[in-house]
Amino acid sequence: MTANNDSKLKIACLQFNPVFGDVAGNLKRSIAMIEKAADAGARIVVLPELSNTGYVFQSRAEAFELAEPVPHGPSSQAWAEVCARRGLILVAGITERDGDRLYNSAVVLGPSGALGVYRKLHLWGDENLYFERGDLGVPVFATPYGRIGVAICYDGWFPETFRLAAVQGADLVCVPTNWVPIPGQQPGKPPMANILHMAAAHSNSMVIACADRVGTERGQPFLGHSLIVSHTGWPVSGPASGSDEEILIGEVDLAAARRDRNWNSFNHPLRDRRTDFYAESLGVELNDQR
């Protein structure tokens, strides 16, 4: 695969409604949407969190039964085939089994196979009953289009997630997510998730692409409102609806995201960090500068 000389890039976020436990059906549905996104010119595609299995597990045994090894399980392999055939990069939320451990993960696939995996760092609600906390940190994956980081759902409430990706050179963070109503959300106002990810995109000068799901599963409603945010912090596509399946496509410029971190002659949001004062209080060890 060769990179496009045009710095403009189309990213697709696929907002759909997985059926709990129907892995084969969810794969079929997701691949059909991936094909449509590719037909529309998307080169990077993002699927929701746990998109192959559904989200609301009732026991660890149920989660274990549906989980797969990554990237050698059937879901990763089915997605890898369409990536190879269509020349795509895909970030897909998946229920991962590694030995006796379960993770809420995202597999990152390219035309030549797996680029890696991200494991959710910050677990939400009953996820703590089924999954281990992520143990791979915040990896950044090199692609012909730019450097890609990953976050999953509740990770987005922690600015450190995006900052760790940014200081490693990420131009884009892909966010498979299953946003649910949270305390303090006001009717008629944008979901807090949208606001948080717009702010993170602006403060790190990076593109953020969020693929949420819709529908209600075992009594749990999901918010939809997927969106793709430019490095300026303003959406280039979305937010999507709160109820409908949609293919959201946005055109972004990852080269501009890197270049525009120089906000003026003096200011750069990564270089301006005062780690000499606050790194220690955030749990970062400093070299002795005295």
PDB file of all heavy atoms in Angstrom, residues 11-18 29-38 42 44-49 51 90-91 177 210-214 226 228 244-249:
ATOM      1  N   ILE A  11     -12.045   9.575   6.632  1.00  0.00           N
ATOM      2  CA  ILE A  11     -12.208   8.647   7.741  1.00  0.00           C
ATOM      3  C   ILE A  11     -13.691   8.347   7.885  1.00  0.00           C
ATOM      4  O   ILE A  11     -14.532   9.261   7.755  1.00  0.00           O
ATOM      5  CB  ILE A  11     -11.663   9.239   9.046  1.00  0.00           C
ATOM      6  CG1 ILE A  11     -10.161   9.530   8.921  1.00  0.00           C
ATOM      7  CG2 ILE A  11     -11.922   8.319  10.231  1.00  0.00           C
ATOM      8  CD1 ILE A  11      -9.597  10.281  10.112  1.00  0.00           C
ATOM      9  N   ALA A  12     -14.034   7.097   8.168  1.00  0.00           N
ATOM     10  CA  ALA A  12     -15.430   6.715   8.373  1.00  0.00           C
ATOM     11  C   ALA A  12     -15.621   6.164   9.776  1.00  0.00           C
ATOM     12  O   ALA A  12     -14.821   5.347  10.255  1.00  0.00           O
ATOM     13  CB  ALA A  12     -15.860   5.673   7.349  1.00  0.00           C
ATOM     14  N   CYS A  13     -16.690   6.617  10.446  1.00  0.00           N
ATOM     15  CA  CYS A  13     -17.125   6.034  11.712  1.00  0.00           C
ATOM     16  C   CYS A  13     -18.465   5.346  11.444  1.00  0.00           C
ATOM     17  O   CYS A  13     -19.398   5.982  10.937  1.00  0.00           O
ATOM     18  CB  CYS A  13     -17.276   7.099  12.785  1.00  0.00           C
ATOM     19  SG  CYS A  13     -15.703   7.759  13.370  1.00  0.00           S
ATOM     20  N   LEU A  14     -18.543   4.062  11.777  1.00  0.00           N
ATOM     21  CA  LEU A  14     -19.724   3.267  11.459  1.00  0.00           C
ATOM     22  C   LEU A  14     -20.580   3.119  12.714  1.00  0.00           C
ATOM     23  O   LEU A  14     -20.221   2.390  13.647  1.00  0.00           O
ATOM     24  CB  LEU A  14     -19.308   1.903  10.924  1.00  0.00           C
ATOM     25  CG  LEU A  14     -18.289   1.924   9.775  1.00  0.00           C
ATOM     26  CD1 LEU A  14     -18.090   0.528   9.223  1.00  0.00           C
ATOM     27  CD2 LEU A  14     -18.711   2.889   8.668  1.00  0.00           C
ATOM     28  N   GLN A  15     -21.688   3.823  12.734  1.00  0.00           N
ATOM     29  CA  GLN A  15     -22.605   3.788  13.869  1.00  0.00           C
ATOM     30  C   GLN A  15     -23.691   2.757  13.563  1.00  0.00           C
ATOM     31  O   GLN A  15     -24.493   2.935  12.661  1.00  0.00           O
ATOM     32  CB  GLN A  15     -23.218   5.174  14.087  1.00  0.00           C
ATOM     33  CG  GLN A  15     -24.246   5.218  15.209  1.00  0.00           C
ATOM     34  CD  GLN A  15     -24.654   6.629  15.562  1.00  0.00           C
ATOM     35  OE1 GLN A  15     -23.844   7.396  16.102  1.00  0.00           O
ATOM     36  NE2 GLN A  15     -25.897   7.004  15.273  1.00  0.00           N
ATOM     37  N   PHE A  16     -23.669   1.645  14.308  1.00  0.00           N
ATOM     38  CA  PHE A  16     -24.690   0.640  14.068  1.00  0.00           C
ATOM     39  C   PHE A  16     -25.105  -0.014  15.385  1.00  0.00           C
ATOM     40  O   PHE A  16     -24.637   0.368  16.456  1.00  0.00           O
ATOM     41  CB  PHE A  16     -24.239  -0.377  13.015  1.00  0.00           C
ATOM     42  CG  PHE A  16     -23.251  -1.420  13.465  1.00  0.00           C
ATOM     43  CD1 PHE A  16     -23.637  -2.737  13.630  1.00  0.00           C
ATOM     44  CD2 PHE A  16     -21.921  -1.089  13.685  1.00  0.00           C
ATOM     45  CE1 PHE A  16     -22.728  -3.705  14.018  1.00  0.00           C
ATOM     46  CE2 PHE A  16     -21.000  -2.054  14.060  1.00  0.00           C
ATOM     47  CZ  PHE A  16     -21.413  -3.371  14.242  1.00  0.00           C
ATOM     48  N   ASN A  17     -26.021  -0.968  15.296  1.00  0.00           N
ATOM     49  CA  ASN A  17     -26.640  -1.567  16.480  1.00  0.00           C
ATOM     50  C   ASN A  17     -26.313  -3.056  16.520  1.00  0.00           C
ATOM     51  O   ASN A  17     -27.057  -3.874  15.971  1.00  0.00           O
ATOM     52  CB  ASN A  17     -28.155  -1.350  16.437  1.00  0.00           C
ATOM     53  CG  ASN A  17     -28.864  -1.866  17.685  1.00  0.00           C
ATOM     54  OD1 ASN A  17     -28.225  -2.310  18.633  1.00  0.00           O
ATOM     55  ND2 ASN A  17     -30.183  -1.808  17.677  1.00  0.00           N
ATOM     56  N   PRO A  18     -25.196  -3.443  17.146  1.00  0.00           N
ATOM     57  CA  PRO A  18     -24.885  -4.866  17.237  1.00  0.00           C
ATOM     58  C   PRO A  18     -25.968  -5.621  18.007  1.00  0.00           C
ATOM     59  O   PRO A  18     -26.596  -5.073  18.921  1.00  0.00           O
ATOM     60  CB  PRO A  18     -23.556  -4.891  18.003  1.00  0.00           C
ATOM     61  CG  PRO A  18     -22.997  -3.518  17.872  1.00  0.00           C
ATOM     62  CD  PRO A  18     -24.179  -2.605  17.796  1.00  0.00           C
ATOM     63  N   ARG A  29     -22.929  -7.569   9.242  1.00  0.00           N
ATOM     64  CA  ARG A  29     -23.423  -6.189   9.192  1.00  0.00           C
ATOM     65  C   ARG A  29     -22.263  -5.193   9.128  1.00  0.00           C
ATOM     66  O   ARG A  29     -22.277  -4.251   8.334  1.00  0.00           O
ATOM     67  CB  ARG A  29     -24.293  -5.914  10.420  1.00  0.00           C
ATOM     68  CG  ARG A  29     -24.828  -4.493  10.509  1.00  0.00           C
ATOM     69  CD  ARG A  29     -25.832  -4.223   9.436  1.00  0.00           C
ATOM     70  NE  ARG A  29     -26.365  -2.872   9.528  1.00  0.00           N
ATOM     71  CZ  ARG A  29     -26.619  -2.104   8.476  1.00  0.00           C
ATOM     72  NH1 ARG A  29     -26.399  -2.548   7.256  1.00  0.00           N
ATOM     73  NH2 ARG A  29     -27.111  -0.896   8.634  1.00  0.00           N
ATOM     74  N   SER A  30     -21.247  -5.402   9.954  1.00  0.00           N
ATOM     75  CA  SER A  30     -20.129  -4.451   9.984  1.00  0.00           C
ATOM     76  C   SER A  30     -19.373  -4.472   8.666  1.00  0.00           C
ATOM     77  O   SER A  30     -18.969  -3.415   8.153  1.00  0.00           O
ATOM     78  CB  SER A  30     -19.195  -4.750  11.150  1.00  0.00           C
ATOM     79  OG  SER A  30     -18.507  -5.976  10.987  1.00  0.00           O
ATOM     80  N   ILE A  31     -19.176  -5.647   8.076  1.00  0.00           N
ATOM     81  CA  ILE A  31     -18.427  -5.728   6.823  1.00  0.00           C
ATOM     82  C   ILE A  31     -19.200  -5.070   5.685  1.00  0.00           C
ATOM     83  O   ILE A  31     -18.608  -4.398   4.829  1.00  0.00           O
ATOM     84  CB  ILE A  31     -18.066  -7.192   6.510  1.00  0.00           C
ATOM     85  CG1 ILE A  31     -16.991  -7.667   7.503  1.00  0.00           C
ATOM     86  CG2 ILE A  31     -17.581  -7.349   5.076  1.00  0.00           C
ATOM     87  CD1 ILE A  31     -16.696  -9.146   7.444  1.00  0.00           C
ATOM     88  N   ALA A  32     -20.519  -5.230   5.685  1.00  0.00           N
ATOM     89  CA  ALA A  32     -21.319  -4.546   4.663  1.00  0.00           C
ATOM     90  C   ALA A  32     -21.151  -3.034   4.771  1.00  0.00           C
ATOM     91  O   ALA A  32     -21.037  -2.337   3.749  1.00  0.00           O
ATOM     92  CB  ALA A  32     -22.786  -4.939   4.800  1.00  0.00           C
ATOM     93  N   MET A  33     -21.118  -2.508   5.995  1.00  0.00           N
ATOM     94  CA  MET A  33     -20.933  -1.070   6.180  1.00  0.00           C
ATOM     95  C   MET A  33     -19.509  -0.645   5.831  1.00  0.00           C
ATOM     96  O   MET A  33     -19.294   0.443   5.280  1.00  0.00           O
ATOM     97  CB  MET A  33     -21.298  -0.675   7.610  1.00  0.00           C
ATOM     98  CG  MET A  33     -22.764  -0.901   7.949  1.00  0.00           C
ATOM     99  SD  MET A  33     -23.203  -0.412   9.649  1.00  0.00           S
ATOM    100  CE  MET A  33     -23.282   1.382   9.463  1.00  0.00           C
ATOM    101  N   ILE A  34     -18.531  -1.495   6.148  1.00  0.00           N
ATOM    102  CA  ILE A  34     -17.142  -1.191   5.776  1.00  0.00           C
ATOM    103  C   ILE A  34     -17.018  -1.076   4.262  1.00  0.00           C
ATOM    104  O   ILE A  34     -16.360  -0.159   3.739  1.00  0.00           O
ATOM    105  CB  ILE A  34     -16.192  -2.273   6.324  1.00  0.00           C
ATOM    106  CG1 ILE A  34     -16.121  -2.209   7.852  1.00  0.00           C
ATOM    107  CG2 ILE A  34     -14.794  -2.114   5.727  1.00  0.00           C
ATOM    108  CD1 ILE A  34     -15.447  -3.416   8.488  1.00  0.00           C
ATOM    109  N   GLU A  35     -17.654  -1.987   3.548  1.00  0.00           N
ATOM    110  CA  GLU A  35     -17.617  -1.945   2.077  1.00  0.00           C
ATOM    111  C   GLU A  35     -18.210  -0.633   1.560  1.00  0.00           C
ATOM    112  O   GLU A  35     -17.657  -0.003   0.639  1.00  0.00           O
ATOM    113  CB  GLU A  35     -18.384  -3.136   1.499  1.00  0.00           C
ATOM    114  CG  GLU A  35     -17.816  -4.498   1.852  1.00  0.00           C
ATOM    115  CD  GLU A  35     -16.735  -4.970   0.895  1.00  0.00           C
ATOM    116  OE1 GLU A  35     -16.226  -4.146   0.106  1.00  0.00           O
ATOM    117  OE2 GLU A  35     -16.398  -6.174   0.941  1.00  0.00           O
ATOM    118  N   LYS A  36     -19.319  -0.198   2.131  1.00  0.00           N
ATOM    119  CA  LYS A  36     -19.940   1.057   1.696  1.00  0.00           C
ATOM    120  C   LYS A  36     -19.041   2.251   1.995  1.00  0.00           C
ATOM    121  O   LYS A  36     -18.940   3.185   1.191  1.00  0.00           O
ATOM    122  CB  LYS A  36     -21.300   1.230   2.370  1.00  0.00           C
ATOM    123  CG  LYS A  36     -22.371   0.277   1.863  1.00  0.00           C
ATOM    124  CD  LYS A  36     -23.711   0.549   2.541  1.00  0.00           C
ATOM    125  CE  LYS A  36     -24.786  -0.384   2.009  1.00  0.00           C
ATOM    126  NZ  LYS A  36     -26.099  -0.157   2.671  1.00  0.00           N
ATOM    127  N   ALA A  37     -18.398   2.216   3.158  1.00  0.00           N
ATOM    128  CA  ALA A  37     -17.481   3.302   3.508  1.00  0.00           C
ATOM    129  C   ALA A  37     -16.312   3.352   2.536  1.00  0.00           C
ATOM    130  O   ALA A  37     -15.891   4.432   2.102  1.00  0.00           O
ATOM    131  CB  ALA A  37     -16.989   3.131   4.942  1.00  0.00           C
ATOM    132  N   ALA A  38     -15.786   2.183   2.183  1.00  0.00           N
ATOM    133  CA  ALA A  38     -14.684   2.132   1.209  1.00  0.00           C
ATOM    134  C   ALA A  38     -15.142   2.643  -0.145  1.00  0.00           C
ATOM    135  O   ALA A  38     -14.402   3.369  -0.835  1.00  0.00           O
ATOM    136  CB  ALA A  38     -14.154   0.702   1.100  1.00  0.00           C
ATOM    137  N   ALA A  42     -13.412   6.184   1.961  1.00  0.00           N
ATOM    138  CA  ALA A  42     -12.758   6.132   3.272  1.00  0.00           C
ATOM    139  C   ALA A  42     -11.525   5.252   3.205  1.00  0.00           C
ATOM    140  O   ALA A  42     -11.535   4.187   2.590  1.00  0.00           O
ATOM    141  CB  ALA A  42     -13.724   5.612   4.324  1.00  0.00           C
ATOM    142  N   ILE A  44      -9.572   5.036   6.344  1.00  0.00           N
ATOM    143  CA  ILE A  44      -9.520   4.577   7.733  1.00  0.00           C
ATOM    144  C   ILE A  44     -10.958   4.452   8.215  1.00  0.00           C
ATOM    145  O   ILE A  44     -11.779   5.363   8.013  1.00  0.00           O
ATOM    146  CB  ILE A  44      -8.732   5.545   8.625  1.00  0.00           C
ATOM    147  CG1 ILE A  44      -7.266   5.645   8.156  1.00  0.00           C
ATOM    148  CG2 ILE A  44      -8.789   5.109  10.089  1.00  0.00           C
ATOM    149  CD1 ILE A  44      -6.437   6.655   8.914  1.00  0.00           C
ATOM    150  N   VAL A  45     -11.278   3.320   8.853  1.00  0.00           N
ATOM    151  CA  VAL A  45     -12.645   3.033   9.292  1.00  0.00           C
ATOM    152  C   VAL A  45     -12.611   2.654  10.766  1.00  0.00           C
ATOM    153  O   VAL A  45     -11.727   1.918  11.218  1.00  0.00           O
ATOM    154  CB  VAL A  45     -13.260   1.898   8.456  1.00  0.00           C
ATOM    155  CG1 VAL A  45     -14.676   1.588   8.928  1.00  0.00           C
ATOM    156  CG2 VAL A  45     -13.267   2.258   6.972  1.00  0.00           C
ATOM    157  N   VAL A  46     -13.596   3.162  11.522  1.00  0.00           N
ATOM    158  CA  VAL A  46     -13.687   2.891  12.955  1.00  0.00           C
ATOM    159  C   VAL A  46     -15.038   2.253  13.256  1.00  0.00           C
ATOM    160  O   VAL A  46     -16.081   2.754  12.821  1.00  0.00           O
ATOM    161  CB  VAL A  46     -13.526   4.178  13.790  1.00  0.00           C
ATOM    162  CG1 VAL A  46     -13.393   3.838  15.276  1.00  0.00           C
ATOM    163  CG2 VAL A  46     -12.320   4.994  13.321  1.00  0.00           C
ATOM    164  N   LEU A  47     -15.019   1.148  13.995  1.00  0.00           N
ATOM    165  CA  LEU A  47     -16.222   0.464  14.457  1.00  0.00           C
ATOM    166  C   LEU A  47     -16.437   0.730  15.942  1.00  0.00           C
ATOM    167  O   LEU A  47     -15.498   1.066  16.667  1.00  0.00           O
ATOM    168  CB  LEU A  47     -16.093  -1.042  14.232  1.00  0.00           C
ATOM    169  CG  LEU A  47     -16.164  -1.558  12.800  1.00  0.00           C
ATOM    170  CD1 LEU A  47     -15.887  -3.060  12.768  1.00  0.00           C
ATOM    171  CD2 LEU A  47     -17.537  -1.273  12.204  1.00  0.00           C
ATOM    172  N   PRO A  48     -17.659   0.530  16.451  1.00  0.00           N
ATOM    173  CA  PRO A  48     -17.914   0.765  17.873  1.00  0.00           C
ATOM    174  C   PRO A  48     -17.192  -0.204  18.799  1.00  0.00           C
ATOM    175  O   PRO A  48     -16.595  -1.204  18.371  1.00  0.00           O
ATOM    176  CB  PRO A  48     -19.440   0.594  17.984  1.00  0.00           C
ATOM    177  CG  PRO A  48     -19.960   0.827  16.605  1.00  0.00           C
ATOM    178  CD  PRO A  48     -18.893   0.294  15.686  1.00  0.00           C
ATOM    179  N   GLU A  49     -17.291   0.081  20.074  1.00  0.00           N
ATOM    180  CA  GLU A  49     -16.757  -0.760  21.150  1.00  0.00           C
ATOM    181  C   GLU A  49     -17.479  -2.117  21.165  1.00  0.00           C
ATOM    182  O   GLU A  49     -18.701  -2.180  20.985  1.00  0.00           O
ATOM    183  CB  GLU A  49     -16.976  -0.021  22.469  1.00  0.00           C
ATOM    184  CG  GLU A  49     -16.495  -0.700  23.713  1.00  0.00           C
ATOM    185  CD  GLU A  49     -16.774   0.139  24.962  1.00  0.00           C
ATOM    186  OE1 GLU A  49     -17.459   1.188  24.841  1.00  0.00           O
ATOM    187  OE2 GLU A  49     -16.313  -0.251  26.041  1.00  0.00           O
ATOM    188  N   SER A  51     -17.885  -4.413  19.162  1.00  0.00           N
ATOM    189  CA  SER A  51     -18.833  -4.430  18.040  1.00  0.00           C
ATOM    190  C   SER A  51     -19.145  -5.828  17.539  1.00  0.00           C
ATOM    191  O   SER A  51     -20.136  -6.026  16.836  1.00  0.00           O
ATOM    192  CB  SER A  51     -18.291  -3.580  16.884  1.00  0.00           C
ATOM    193  OG  SER A  51     -17.057  -4.085  16.401  1.00  0.00           O
ATOM    194  N   LEU A  90      -8.422  -0.400   9.679  1.00  0.00           N
ATOM    195  CA  LEU A  90      -9.639  -0.560  10.475  1.00  0.00           C
ATOM    196  C   LEU A  90      -9.278  -0.609  11.948  1.00  0.00           C
ATOM    197  O   LEU A  90      -8.344  -1.306  12.348  1.00  0.00           O
ATOM    198  CB  LEU A  90     -10.353  -1.856  10.070  1.00  0.00           C
ATOM    199  CG  LEU A  90     -11.591  -2.239  10.886  1.00  0.00           C
ATOM    200  CD1 LEU A  90     -12.738  -1.275  10.591  1.00  0.00           C
ATOM    201  CD2 LEU A  90     -12.012  -3.668  10.589  1.00  0.00           C
ATOM    202  N   VAL A  91     -10.047   0.127  12.758  1.00  0.00           N
ATOM    203  CA  VAL A  91      -9.954   0.048  14.213  1.00  0.00           C
ATOM    204  C   VAL A  91     -11.303  -0.446  14.705  1.00  0.00           C
ATOM    205  O   VAL A  91     -12.321   0.239  14.531  1.00  0.00           O
ATOM    206  CB  VAL A  91      -9.604   1.418  14.833  1.00  0.00           C
ATOM    207  CG1 VAL A  91      -9.523   1.305  16.349  1.00  0.00           C
ATOM    208  CG2 VAL A  91      -8.284   1.944  14.261  1.00  0.00           C
ATOM    209  N   THR A 177     -16.555   3.192  20.766  1.00  0.00           N
ATOM    210  CA  THR A 177     -17.204   3.564  22.011  1.00  0.00           C
ATOM    211  C   THR A 177     -18.628   3.039  22.078  1.00  0.00           C
ATOM    212  O   THR A 177     -19.241   2.716  21.052  1.00  0.00           O
ATOM    213  CB  THR A 177     -17.167   5.102  22.198  1.00  0.00           C
ATOM    214  OG1 THR A 177     -17.646   5.443  23.497  1.00  0.00           O
ATOM    215  CG2 THR A 177     -17.977   5.814  21.128  1.00  0.00           C
ATOM    216  N   CYS A 210     -14.772   9.220  16.578  1.00  0.00           N
ATOM    217  CA  CYS A 210     -15.526   8.441  17.558  1.00  0.00           C
ATOM    218  C   CYS A 210     -16.657   7.684  16.882  1.00  0.00           C
ATOM    219  O   CYS A 210     -17.551   8.307  16.283  1.00  0.00           O
ATOM    220  CB  CYS A 210     -16.119   9.355  18.627  1.00  0.00           C
ATOM    221  SG  CYS A 210     -14.931  10.420  19.476  1.00  0.00           S
ATOM    222  N   ALA A 211     -16.653   6.356  16.985  1.00  0.00           N
ATOM    223  CA  ALA A 211     -17.718   5.522  16.433  1.00  0.00           C
ATOM    224  C   ALA A 211     -18.511   4.925  17.588  1.00  0.00           C
ATOM    225  O   ALA A 211     -18.028   4.039  18.301  1.00  0.00           O
ATOM    226  CB  ALA A 211     -17.142   4.417  15.560  1.00  0.00           C
ATOM    227  N   ASP A 212     -19.731   5.412  17.781  1.00  0.00           N
ATOM    228  CA  ASP A 212     -20.596   4.925  18.845  1.00  0.00           C
ATOM    229  C   ASP A 212     -21.621   3.955  18.266  1.00  0.00           C
ATOM    230  O   ASP A 212     -21.783   3.852  17.046  1.00  0.00           O
ATOM    231  CB  ASP A 212     -21.308   6.095  19.525  1.00  0.00           C
ATOM    232  CG  ASP A 212     -21.921   5.714  20.871  1.00  0.00           C
ATOM    233  OD1 ASP A 212     -21.582   4.630  21.394  1.00  0.00           O
ATOM    234  OD2 ASP A 212     -22.727   6.504  21.397  1.00  0.00           O
ATOM    235  N   ARG A 213     -22.319   3.270  19.128  1.00  0.00           N
ATOM    236  CA  ARG A 213     -23.415   2.409  18.705  1.00  0.00           C
ATOM    237  C   ARG A 213     -24.743   3.063  19.067  1.00  0.00           C
ATOM    238  O   ARG A 213     -24.791   4.073  19.786  1.00  0.00           O
ATOM    239  CB  ARG A 213     -23.322   1.027  19.338  1.00  0.00           C
ATOM    240  CG  ARG A 213     -23.481   1.029  20.863  1.00  0.00           C
ATOM    241  CD  ARG A 213     -23.759  -0.369  21.389  1.00  0.00           C
ATOM    242  NE  ARG A 213     -25.094  -0.810  20.987  1.00  0.00           N
ATOM    243  CZ  ARG A 213     -25.566  -2.042  21.220  1.00  0.00           C
ATOM    244  NH1 ARG A 213     -24.802  -2.940  21.825  1.00  0.00           N
ATOM    245  NH2 ARG A 213     -26.783  -2.377  20.844  1.00  0.00           N
ATOM    246  N   VAL A 214     -25.815   2.488  18.577  1.00  0.00           N
ATOM    247  CA  VAL A 214     -27.173   2.934  18.904  1.00  0.00           C
ATOM    248  C   VAL A 214     -27.967   1.740  19.411  1.00  0.00           C
ATOM    249  O   VAL A 214     -27.490   0.605  19.430  1.00  0.00           O
ATOM    250  CB  VAL A 214     -27.876   3.570  17.688  1.00  0.00           C
ATOM    251  CG1 VAL A 214     -27.267   4.923  17.353  1.00  0.00           C
ATOM    252  CG2 VAL A 214     -27.842   2.642  16.477  1.00  0.00           C
ATOM    253  N   SER A 226     -22.134   9.690  17.142  1.00  0.00           N
ATOM    254  CA  SER A 226     -20.761   9.545  16.647  1.00  0.00           C
ATOM    255  C   SER A 226     -20.319  10.844  15.985  1.00  0.00           C
ATOM    256  O   SER A 226     -21.141  11.591  15.445  1.00  0.00           O
ATOM    257  CB  SER A 226     -20.692   8.411  15.618  1.00  0.00           C
ATOM    258  OG  SER A 226     -21.131   7.194  16.171  1.00  0.00           O
ATOM    259  N   ILE A 228     -16.656  13.000  14.040  1.00  0.00           N
ATOM    260  CA  ILE A 228     -15.254  13.101  13.624  1.00  0.00           C
ATOM    261  C   ILE A 228     -14.851  14.556  13.804  1.00  0.00           C
ATOM    262  O   ILE A 228     -15.494  15.460  13.263  1.00  0.00           O
ATOM    263  CB  ILE A 228     -15.074  12.655  12.164  1.00  0.00           C
ATOM    264  CG1 ILE A 228     -15.550  11.198  11.996  1.00  0.00           C
ATOM    265  CG2 ILE A 228     -13.613  12.796  11.738  1.00  0.00           C
ATOM    266  CD1 ILE A 228     -15.643  10.754  10.556  1.00  0.00           C
ATOM    267  N   ASP A 244     -30.192   6.312  14.875  1.00  0.00           N
ATOM    268  CA  ASP A 244     -30.132   5.642  13.576  1.00  0.00           C
ATOM    269  C   ASP A 244     -28.749   5.083  13.287  1.00  0.00           C
ATOM    270  O   ASP A 244     -27.733   5.656  13.684  1.00  0.00           O
ATOM    271  CB  ASP A 244     -30.503   6.619  12.448  1.00  0.00           C
ATOM    272  CG  ASP A 244     -31.918   7.139  12.583  1.00  0.00           C
ATOM    273  OD1 ASP A 244     -32.756   6.429  13.187  1.00  0.00           O
ATOM    274  OD2 ASP A 244     -32.178   8.253  12.103  1.00  0.00           O
ATOM    275  N   GLU A 245     -28.712   3.977  12.541  1.00  0.00           N
ATOM    276  CA  GLU A 245     -27.455   3.491  12.005  1.00  0.00           C
ATOM    277  C   GLU A 245     -26.999   4.437  10.899  1.00  0.00           C
ATOM    278  O   GLU A 245     -27.792   4.826  10.041  1.00  0.00           O
ATOM    279  CB  GLU A 245     -27.621   2.066  11.462  1.00  0.00           C
ATOM    280  CG  GLU A 245     -27.926   1.044  12.542  1.00  0.00           C
ATOM    281  CD  GLU A 245     -27.802  -0.377  12.056  1.00  0.00           C
ATOM    282  OE1 GLU A 245     -27.971  -0.616  10.835  1.00  0.00           O
ATOM    283  OE2 GLU A 245     -27.535  -1.259  12.886  1.00  0.00           O
ATOM    284  N   GLU A 246     -25.721   4.811  10.929  1.00  0.00           N
ATOM    285  CA  GLU A 246     -25.201   5.779   9.956  1.00  0.00           C
ATOM    286  C   GLU A 246     -23.752   5.455   9.617  1.00  0.00           C
ATOM    287  O   GLU A 246     -23.011   4.925  10.448  1.00  0.00           O
ATOM    288  CB  GLU A 246     -25.250   7.207  10.501  1.00  0.00           C
ATOM    289  CG  GLU A 246     -26.636   7.733  10.810  1.00  0.00           C
ATOM    290  CD  GLU A 246     -26.618   9.194  11.247  1.00  0.00           C
ATOM    291  OE1 GLU A 246     -25.779   9.961  10.704  1.00  0.00           O
ATOM    292  OE2 GLU A 246     -27.410   9.552  12.117  1.00  0.00           O
ATOM    293  N   ILE A 247     -23.375   5.808   8.402  1.00  0.00           N
ATOM    294  CA  ILE A 247     -21.966   5.814   8.010  1.00  0.00           C
ATOM    295  C   ILE A 247     -21.538   7.273   7.966  1.00  0.00           C
ATOM    296  O   ILE A 247     -21.965   8.031   7.106  1.00  0.00           O
ATOM    297  CB  ILE A 247     -21.752   5.130   6.653  1.00  0.00           C
ATOM    298  CG1 ILE A 247     -22.144   3.653   6.730  1.00  0.00           C
ATOM    299  CG2 ILE A 247     -20.297   5.277   6.204  1.00  0.00           C
ATOM    300  CD1 ILE A 247     -22.072   2.935   5.397  1.00  0.00           C
ATOM    301  N   LEU A 248     -20.729   7.647   8.934  1.00  0.00           N
ATOM    302  CA  LEU A 248     -20.280   9.031   9.068  1.00  0.00           C
ATOM    303  C   LEU A 248     -18.907   9.142   8.417  1.00  0.00           C
ATOM    304  O   LEU A 248     -17.988   8.404   8.775  1.00  0.00           O
ATOM    305  CB  LEU A 248     -20.192   9.370  10.550  1.00  0.00           C
ATOM    306  CG  LEU A 248     -20.273  10.820  10.996  1.00  0.00           C
ATOM    307  CD1 LEU A 248     -21.663  11.373  10.684  1.00  0.00           C
ATOM    308  CD2 LEU A 248     -20.011  10.898  12.498  1.00  0.00           C
ATOM    309  N   ILE A 249     -18.773  10.037   7.443  1.00  0.00           N
ATOM    310  CA  ILE A 249     -17.492  10.199   6.750  1.00  0.00           C
ATOM    311  C   ILE A 249     -17.033  11.650   6.867  1.00  0.00           C
ATOM    312  O   ILE A 249     -17.816  12.574   6.612  1.00  0.00           O
ATOM    313  CB  ILE A 249     -17.589   9.776   5.275  1.00  0.00           C
ATOM    314  CG1 ILE A 249     -17.880   8.275   5.186  1.00  0.00           C
ATOM    315  CG2 ILE A 249     -16.291  10.118   4.523  1.00  0.00           C
ATOM    316  CD1 ILE A 249     -17.951   7.732   3.785  1.00  0.00           C
TER     317      ILE A 249
END
